[in-house]
Amino acid sequence: GDIVLLAKPVTLTEGDRVTLTTDVPVATDGTSKPEKLLYAVSLPPVHGQIEHINYPGVPISSYRQLDVVAQKLSYVHDNSHGAGKESLR
């Protein structure tokens, strides 16, 4: 079936971090098990990285919806000067 992904913008300044919650990325695929959805980061952020909270400083390239629900992920801005808008893909 179809997959629906809803995302809301988050505003950060240099060096900030934000915990990814279901208010930011949340997806559904029409099954009864959305927690099993796997996200793949196909285009890494230019001005930061997505990290698991248990492994700060280590960028990740995939994660599960369950990690988002459990608030175990964060996006960390890398202090780039002049960084404009960025999106995660």
Side-chain angles (χ1 to χ4, degrees):
D2 295 332
I3 294 177
V4 176
L5 177 63
L6 303 173
K8 295 180 183 176
V10 174
T11 302
L12 297 173
T13 57
E14 296 172 9
D16 280 352
R17 89 174 32 240
V18 64
T19 300
L20 300 183
T21 67
T22 54
D23 289 340
V24 181
V26 64
T28 178
D29 68 351
T31 69
S32 61
K33 304 242 183 224
E35 68 276 4
K36 293 192 177 206
L37 286 174
L38 178 68
Y39 291 82
V41 181
S42 60
L43 184 60
V46 176
H47 301 290
Q49 61 191 29
I50 301 172
E51 303 176 350
H52 192 281
I53 61 167
N54 292 340
Y55 304 100
V58 179
I60 60 173
S61 60
S62 66
Y63 56 93
R64 296 193 179 280
Q65 180 80 7
L66 190 57
D67 294 324
V68 177
V69 172
Q71 298 183 5
K72 294 192 175 251
L73 304 173
S74 61
Y75 169 79
V76 182
H77 192 286
D78 70 359
N79 291 329
S80 297
H81 294 287
K85 291 183 179 182
E86 176 165 66
S87 62
L88 308 177
R89 296 176 189 245

